[in-house]
Structure formats: C-alpha cells, structure tokens
Amino acid sequence: AEITSLDTGNIEDILSKTLCRFSQMLQPIFEEASNIAREEFPDVTQVVFARVDCDQHSDIAQRYRISKYPTLKLFRNGMMMKREYRGQRSVTAIADFIRQQKVDPIKEIHSLEEVNIADRDRRNIIGYFDQKDSENYHTFEKVANILRDDCVFLAAFGDVSQTERFSGDNVIYKPMGETVPDMVYLGSLTNFDLTYAWAQDKCVPLVREITFENGEELTEEGIPFLILFHVKEDTESLEKFQHEVARQLISEKGSINFLHADCEKFRHPLLHIQKTPADCPVIAIDSFRHMYVYPEFRDIEIPGKLRQFVLDLHSGKLHREFHHGPDPTDSTPGQEEIGEVASNPPESSFQKLAPSETRYTLLRDRDEL
C-alpha cells in the first residue's frame, strides 16, 4: 500500500477522511447482509439497508444521538427503535437479525381458552378485533412491532373475539402474576400515538432489570443508575422498591435509571461497595464516576427518604460528603461512610459495561484529541 505524506497543507483533509477501523471492517459484511436481505425480501419497501457518513453529516449523527462508530440502528415506519443491533458483526448474524425482525410479533388465538393459559411470567397485550383488515388492527400491528421485545402480543378475530367486543374492538393488558387484574385500553385504536404510549407504559416497566446482556444499552442511555441489588427469589424487596420508586421518584424519570440486579450475578459491583449477597437487599447509585450506598434498605418506606438520596446525587451533596464528611448543616448524615473516615467514594462499577474501545470508535475520545 502506498504511504501518504502529510504536510500542513493536507493533514486536516486526509485525517478527516480516515475511516474508523471498525466501520471499515463492517462495511463488506453489511453489504453482503444487505444482498441476502434483498434476495429474501425482494420488495424494496420491506427492508432497506442504508448508511450515513456521520463526519459528513454531523446533523444526522446529533439527531439520532450517535456516540460511537459503527452504530447499527433499526427504524420501523420511520420511527427509530430504542434497541440498536449489538450482536455479532457477521453476515449470518445480521441476516438472522433481519429475519427475526420480519417474523410477525402477534400470535393469533383461535379460542379464548388460549388467553387463560397465557404465560403470566411475561407481560401480555391482547387485542380482540372484528376483522384483520381494519385500521384498528393495523395500529395494533405497528405497536406490536415496536414493542415486540417487551411484551407478548396476542389477537383474536371475528366469532372467536365476539364476547370480548361488547363495545367494539378491544385491547387489554394482562400484567405479570396470576392475581393482578387486567387493564383495558380506553383510548381510540385509530390513534397510533395514544395506543403506543399506553402500551409502552405497560410493557416497559419503571424499574427494569439490568443484566450483562442489556448493560451496554442501559449504560449508553447516559444517566446514573439507582439500583436495587436483591436475591432473585426475594420478590418482596423488589415490589417495595418498585412501589417507592413510583411513589417518590416518578418526576425523576429521565434523569436517573431505576434498575434491579441479581445479587449473585453482580457480586463484583457489590464487593466494590464492600457488600456481599448476604447483605442484600442493598440500594446504591452508580453515577458512572462513583458508587454511593443508601444507608438502610428498610428506610425506603420513610416518605421522601429515597427521593432525597437521588436529589443529593444531583446537587453534588453525596460526592461532597464523601470527600469532606457530612455537611455542617446536617445533624445526621444521609450517606453511609465506607471505611474509617470520609474519603473517595468507590469508583463506578457499571461504567465497565459501557461500549468498549475494542469494538467501537468512541466519539468522546475523538473530541478530546
């Protein structure tokens, strides 16, 4: 290969055209996967592979919050899906992903008995329609395609669904758990935005579980974590936490992620804050710089206590008290000290789940150069 000579006249131009090596490696794979998709789905409106040079089109990169190269985003009906493709960068894996996305996410039911045996460990949304070829059902289809990873979608038509259609087409949500009552959608089924907002509220819980599989995705949302570490079987602590988050912290949604984690699987972050699974349930904040422990789990039911812990993160108080001890105005510190004296808080543990430099070119690094 020819070696290029750089000088003050051409250095800016040539360096700006140097592609990220991960993008270069992906390019032929992406093209080959698109050829396979074109063969399997010849209708050009069904699957479209496209690419954007984000250095040339920084406005597009900003609009879709691109923070690393290469990023593979999925769009449906013009709407960007929350989950991007993070799988293997191989022709087979990408082609398989497209095939999965083309599978109908709605299971048709042929008797109402099938509703009674629905998996109550999953969130179920069930639509009862007069006919398939209707505007109401097309809205339901669009919603199901977007939320296919979060809920199970079932649908019944005609005579099968008749007894459930006392006042027209009807959509209900069956929450997880045998004893929890169904919830009925009361809005217009021809209004996509309204139907989607309702279904998303039901399918995407306020408190999500963090796993090693979704850790990168959650970390990349870029807001701190409030995490309950609990033993998998301890559903009582999880329910208390969910209840208090909904009661005290609903206004903070968007500035902090509410998560729960399996104590056994996440032993390492617990050790980071000098805890073990035997100490669970434990609540902590990971700000991506440091970790802070909530003093006593049982105190979460004290009105406003959990909320204050989160507000103290945003105000800088948690960090300040770790460095300098309790604020002089406080008679009782709101933060448990780790070690003999107030000092540096433990470093972030979950930051390690963020997108890795061994897989991506991270844009913040480029900006710092």
Side-chain angles (χ1 to χ4, degrees):
E2 188 184 332
I3 307 294
T4 305
S5 297
L6 297 178
D7 56 41
T8 49
N10 70 4
I11 187 166
E12 294 290 334
D13 188 45
I14 288 174
L15 291 184
S16 70
K17 287 177 181 161
T18 306
L19 268 176
C20 143
R21 68 190 173 99
F22 302 114
S23 300
Q24 284 176 313
M25 287 154 65
L26 178 64
Q27 197 162 310
I29 293 167
F30 193 66
E31 282 176 11
E32 182 59 29
S34 79
N35 292 337
I36 292 173
R38 176 59 50 84
E39 279 173 30
E40 292 185 24
F41 307 103
D43 179 349
V44 292
T45 61
Q46 285 213 331
V47 179
V48 175
F49 274 66
R51 64 171 168 235
V52 178
D53 180 337
C54 291
D55 283 343
Q56 297 293 316
H57 302 282
S58 56
D59 55 329
I60 296 176
Q62 282 172 344
R63 188 191 317 167
Y64 296 113
R65 298 210 293 274
I66 305 301
S67 59
K68 63 190 184 313
Y69 298 151
T71 295
L72 295 177
K73 296 271 188 194
L74 179 70
F75 288 77
R76 282 184 181 278
N77 304 306
M79 192 172 172
M80 184 177 79
M81 298 297 93
K82 190 166 175 131
R83 288 192 181 92
E84 60 192 54
Y85 177 77
R86 296 176 190 269
Q88 226 182 346
R89 289 179 193 155
S90 71
V91 174
T92 312
I94 295 172
D96 280 346
F97 174 73
I98 296 300
R99 287 185 200 105
Q100 287 161 13
Q101 296 299 316
K102 291 299 293 172
V103 171
D104 189 343
I106 303 168
K107 182 191 172 210
E108 184 173 344
I109 50 181
H110 300 285
S111 93
L112 294 184
E113 183 52 38
E114 290 178 58
V115 175
N116 299 330
I117 57 169
D119 182 357
R120 296 311 292 265
D121 289 333
R122 299 283 312 271
R123 296 173 174 81
N124 292 272
I125 290 193
I126 305 157
Y128 301 99
F129 301 94
D130 180 23
Q131 50 192 339
K132 238 183 194 180
D133 190 15
S134 64
E135 199 180 340
N136 285 354
Y137 183 65
H138 292 322
T139 301
F140 188 74
E141 268 187 315
K142 275 169 101 171
V143 169
N145 265 308
I146 295 167
L147 294 170
R148 63 197 296 146
D149 297 329
D150 303 293
C151 264
V152 174
F153 287 85
L154 307 167
F157 305 94
D159 294 342
V160 178
S161 66
Q162 195 170 4
T163 55
E164 295 292 329
R165 288 187 284 109
F166 21 83
S167 55
D169 290 351
N170 186 24
V171 171
I172 66 154
Y173 166 64
K174 274 191 179 301
M176 292 162 71
E178 297 292 340
T179 56
V180 193
D182 296 350
M183 298 167 104
V184 181
Y185 174 58
L186 299 171
S188 161
L189 275 166
T190 56
N191 184 327
F192 166 77
D193 290 338
L194 210 59
T195 312
Y196 172 64
W198 177 84
Q200 188 188 38
D201 181 58
K202 304 293 173 273
C203 293
V204 182
L206 185 60
V207 178
R208 295 177 284 175
E209 181 174 15
I210 185 167
T211 63
F212 290 112
E213 289 71 39
N214 69 3
E216 181 180 280
E217 176 190 326
L218 289 169
T219 306
E220 211 178 356
E221 289 178 16
I223 54 176
F225 293 170
L226 176 70
I227 310 173
L228 167 71
F229 295 92
H230 67 107
V231 177
K232 198 174 167 55
E233 294 72 30
D234 177 15
T235 53
E236 188 187 339
S237 296
L238 175 57
E239 281 168 18
K240 274 185 187 170
F241 182 66
Q242 288 167 328
H243 179 74
E244 293 306 326
V245 165
R247 195 167 70 123
Q248 300 184 41
L249 289 166
I250 200 83
S251 63
E252 294 304 308
K253 189 182 176 183
S255 68
I256 192 160
N257 263 326
F258 310 119
L259 305 170
H260 68 102
D262 182 330
C263 272
E264 291 294 338
K265 287 184 186 162
F266 286 92
R267 276 171 171 268
H268 184 70
L270 278 173
L271 282 173
H272 229 57
I273 51 175
Q274 298 190 355
K275 303 283 183 188
T276 71
D279 297 308
C280 288
V282 170
I283 294 172
I285 283 175
D286 191 318
S287 71
F288 300 146
R289 285 182 61 211
H290 298 294
M291 288 186 78
Y292 305 96
V293 185
Y294 184 74
E296 287 287 345
F297 175 78
R298 63 173 178 267
D299 289 349
I300 63 167
E301 291 175 296
I302 298 172
K305 185 98 175 175
L306 192 61
R307 177 176 169 76
Q308 193 57 52
F309 183 58
V310 171
L311 295 180
D312 286 350
L313 170 79
H314 293 323
S315 71
K317 183 178 174 185
L318 292 186
H319 193 247
R320 194 169 60 244
E321 290 196 336
F322 244 111
H323 283 292
H324 307 295
D327 279 0
T329 52
D330 278 13
S331 53
T332 54
Q335 171 59 33
E336 179 180 314
E337 290 182 16
I338 293 177
E340 295 294 313
V341 292
S343 58
N344 278 348
E347 284 185 7
S348 166
S349 190
F350 287 89
Q351 181 61 37
K352 297 178 183 70
L353 296 181
S356 158
E357 291 173 342
T358 61
R359 195 168 148 79
Y360 298 101
T361 298
L362 305 179
L363 295 198
R364 63 172 178 270
D365 291 347
R366 291 171 55 125
D367 292 343
E368 284 165 9
L369 289 176

